[in-house]
Amino acid sequence: MQYMLLINEDESIYEGDEGAKRMEATLAGHMALAQKWAEKGVAFSGERLKPGNTATTIRWDHGSHALHDGPFAETHEELGGFYIIDVDSLDDALEWAKQIPVPGKGAVEVRPVWPMEE
């Protein structure tokens, strides 16, 4: 079953000189996790997203919509990237999600993918 792992993090942690080092370490952690998935035969895909200030959100209200600059969530955390992995169970997805590097505060939402044919 496929699970989407939505990575929310505080983008401010990557600001300044220390932020650049933290970004480099975080990216190395992601590459290490991708290597583990490859070694274990876990099918996966994913992408990194541009910062939240580049997002445009469409909000619907009973049939009408409006465009807003910025991400949907009004928090200090932004959707930073995602993975889709194909594993046997939610427990397996949670175990892999716990290994995603998230420096500082953040969250990883694990959600089953609903196939289009269902």
Side-chain angles (χ1 to χ4, degrees):
M1 177 174 218
Q2 289 186 323
Y3 291 89
M4 180 170 250
L5 313 177
L6 299 160
I7 305 162
N8 292 283
E9 58 190 354
D10 179 0
E11 294 176 343
S12 68
I13 199 161
Y14 300 118
E15 295 173 357
D17 292 339
E18 289 301 311
K21 292 177 186 171
R22 195 170 292 119
M23 174 63 82
E24 187 175 317
T26 301
L27 292 175
H30 283 278
M31 296 304 292
L33 182 57
Q35 182 64 37
K36 284 183 182 179
W37 283 333
E39 290 169 2
K40 296 289 186 180
V42 175
F44 71 96
S45 64
E47 293 291 345
R48 180 176 167 198
L49 298 176
K50 297 275 186 177
N53 64 3
T54 65
T56 301
T57 300
I58 305 170
R59 292 182 190 256
W60 278 265
D61 185 9
H62 304 288
S64 64
H65 66 271
L67 298 179
H68 299 271
D69 290 337
F72 179 79
E74 295 180 8
T75 69
H76 62 280
E77 296 172 355
E78 308 296 340
L79 180 60
F82 66 91
Y83 290 110
I84 296 176
I85 61 173
D86 195 347
V87 293
D88 291 334
S89 68
L90 174 60
D91 288 341
D92 290 344
L94 292 172
E95 285 304 313
W96 284 116
K98 290 174 188 173
Q99 297 181 48
I100 293 174
V102 179
K105 294 184 176 181
V108 176
E109 179 181 338
V110 178
R111 190 182 303 191
V113 172
W114 194 345
M116 294 296 285
E117 62 271 7
E118 288 185 8

